[in-house]
Every structure is written in structure tokens, then in C-alpha cells.
Amino acid sequence: MKFYDELSKYYKYIFPMSEVTLNFLKDNIDKNKKVLDIACGSGEYTIGLSKYGYNVKGIDLDDLMIEKAKEKAIEEGVNVEFKVGNILKLDEVFNESFGGMFCIGNSLVHLDNIEEIEKALQLMKDKLEDKGILIIQIINYARILKFDLKSLQTIKNEEIGIEFIRNYKKKDDKIIFNTILKINDEESLENDVELLPITHIELRPSLEKVGFKNIQFFGGFNKGKFEEDESIQLIIKCEK
């Protein structure tokens, strides 16, 4: 699909690695344990952690993203294993356990329903070692739904000449996430995807149901307090 072909080329410019995010991961995941980056995209954080000595692997559903991640790993001179795989088949992709996992980039809400989310959480828990840490990041959909917000801030990279416009539209129990990628004012690509706008209120019992404990919510990777009406993001840290 042309949209995702183009998105994979510009992904690292649209969503560049944040030192704040990287530091949150470093602060909460044991460097001496194996780590899995779920829905790793073009591998910015997989590679970023590996540069600090982490033994980290990445998985993503999109083969183009994995291709870009592998290319970047070679460019950066790091040895990172990337695999194409589905979060709902995590047990089929890896035969090993991990001391830490993270699933960021608002990836979890691409699943279709709460049953799929709980299945994914169960698979993640099963692949974690005892006391292993899981970190999840999604948009704070409680805020989106309460205030009927129609968009997120447009991402611009003037140096590269791109804009990434993000719009929301409610449809039954889903949100239509409409994105427009503008390239040098010459080309505009548009895509719609359905997201499941799960909130912190729904996620906590699902995490508890599959057996996670010590569940913490943050309003950002700066470790700020989660505020239902104010926080743009929802960051979850929990333990097996």
C-alpha cells in the first residue's frame, strides 16, 4: 500500500527518538535482562537501547518497517534482531523469555476489541520472566472521548519538508484515525484506520485479570502524574 510505503520512509522523521522516552525505558527496564520492543516500527528505541548495552529485540507487523529497522541497525553498527510478527502470535515468534517489554507508539489500540487486547496482554505476561516489567504507551482516550476531540497536533519537519496531520472521528465503539502525509507540498497521501479507544478505566481490570501487578499510570514519559482530563498520553508500567 502506497501510504505505508511512504510512511516507512519518513517514520523516523515523523516520530524521532525522544531522549525522555529512552530514559524512561532505561530507568525502568533491567539492563542485564533481555528486552522485547513490541510494534517497534523502524526500530528507533530498539537500536537506541542497544547502544546502551541492552540485549533488545524488535517485532513489528509491517515488513517495510522491519526492513527499515534492519537497515538502520547496520548503519548504526549495532547487532539487533528484528522479526516480522503479530502481537497476537507472540508465542509463535519467540521461544525465549524476556526481563522487560515495551509496546509504545499507540500500538495496542490497533487491536480490534477488548478480548484481543487481553489476549495480547496474556501473551506478553507469559513471555515475561518473574518480576519482568511491561511498559505500554497509548493516547489518553478518556480525554479524547470526554471532550470529543477531533485531532492531535500536526507533526512538522521543515528540514525534510513533511507534515503529518492526525484527525479523529468517532464511529460506534471505534475511532477512525485519519492521517494525511504531505511531502514537500507536492504529494499528499491519506489513510484511515480504526482504533479501539480503550481508557485507563478499562485497561486496569484487564491488566489485573491476566495477572499483572504493581500497575502504575503516568501522564507522560517524564513520569508526570496521569490526569484524566489533561494528560495527552497514558503510560503504563506494570510487573509480572
Side-chain angles (χ1 to χ4, degrees):
M1 186 177 180
K2 187 174 182 181
F3 179 85
Y4 287 104
D5 289 351
E6 291 301 312
L7 182 62
S8 68
K9 296 176 186 177
Y10 297 102
Y11 193 85
K12 66 180 181 180
Y13 302 111
I14 298 170
F15 302 108
M17 189 179 70
S18 160
E19 288 296 327
V20 174
T21 303
L22 186 64
N23 287 336
F24 184 97
L25 298 174
K26 287 163 56 184
D27 289 345
N28 289 286
I29 295 177
D30 190 339
K31 186 177 181 178
N32 299 310
K33 302 286 188 178
K34 288 185 289 187
V35 182
L36 181 61
D37 180 357
I38 300 169
C40 64
S42 58
E44 301 302 312
Y45 292 100
T46 333
I47 293 167
L49 281 176
S50 72
K51 288 182 176 180
Y52 283 92
Y54 284 78
N55 179 2
V56 56
K57 299 183 179 185
I59 179 177
D60 198 277
L61 190 60
D62 191 290
D63 55 353
L64 286 170
M65 288 295 184
I66 291 296
E67 183 180 318
K68 293 295 180 184
K70 289 179 177 178
E71 290 173 0
K72 182 174 175 60
I74 293 171
E75 291 171 3
E76 299 288 339
V78 295
N79 183 20
V80 180
E81 182 180 359
F82 290 102
K83 289 187 176 184
V84 176
N86 190 324
I87 189 174
L88 294 174
K89 297 182 179 179
L90 203 58
D91 54 336
E92 299 176 15
V93 182
F94 294 100
N95 295 321
E96 60 199 300
S97 58
F98 298 87
M101 292 181 181
F102 59 99
C103 179
I104 60 178
N106 200 42
S107 300
L108 194 66
V109 297
H110 284 77
L111 296 176
D112 192 53
N113 50 53
I114 191 67
E115 289 78 20
E116 284 195 354
I117 284 181
E118 289 180 356
K119 179 181 178 180
L121 292 174
Q122 184 67 62
L123 288 168
M124 286 186 266
K125 178 176 173 285
D126 290 346
K127 283 294 176 184
L128 277 172
E129 299 174 359
D130 288 342
K131 299 189 181 300
I133 298 298
L134 172 64
I135 294 167
I136 296 171
Q137 176 268 330
I138 63 172
I139 296 297
N140 174 18
Y141 286 102
R143 173 177 172 267
I144 297 289
L145 296 172
K146 181 174 182 178
F147 298 109
D148 194 24
L149 300 181
K150 303 298 186 184
S151 64
L152 296 176
Q153 183 177 5
T154 296
I155 298 171
K156 296 182 180 182
N157 187 313
E158 294 181 0
E159 182 180 351
I160 305 300
I162 56 173
E163 285 188 41
F164 192 59
I165 301 166
R166 302 174 290 173
N167 299 314
Y168 280 138
K169 182 180 179 180
K170 190 77 170 64
K171 179 186 175 183
D172 300 325
D173 62 340
K174 298 288 183 69
I175 281 181
I176 305 300
F177 185 40
N178 168 261
T179 49
I180 303 169
L181 177 62
K182 292 185 176 181
I183 307 167
N184 293 317
D185 294 324
E186 297 173 0
E187 187 174 13
S188 181
L189 300 171
E190 188 169 356
N191 185 63
D192 287 343
V193 63
E194 285 191 355
L195 302 179
L196 183 68
I198 192 167
T199 70
H200 62 293
I201 296 170
E202 299 162 298
L203 268 172
R204 182 180 286 277
S206 292
L207 287 161
E208 292 173 343
K209 180 180 178 180
V210 302
F212 280 104
K213 56 189 178 183
N214 297 330
I215 301 166
Q216 295 177 271
F217 293 158
F218 301 93
F221 285 110
N222 61 359
K223 302 179 185 176
K225 182 180 178 182
F226 176 73
E227 301 284 355
E228 181 176 316
D229 291 352
E230 301 293 334
S231 299
I232 295 173
Q233 300 183 77
L234 169 63
I235 316 298
I236 303 167
K237 176 190 171 185
C238 53
E239 178 184 323
K240 178 173 177 177

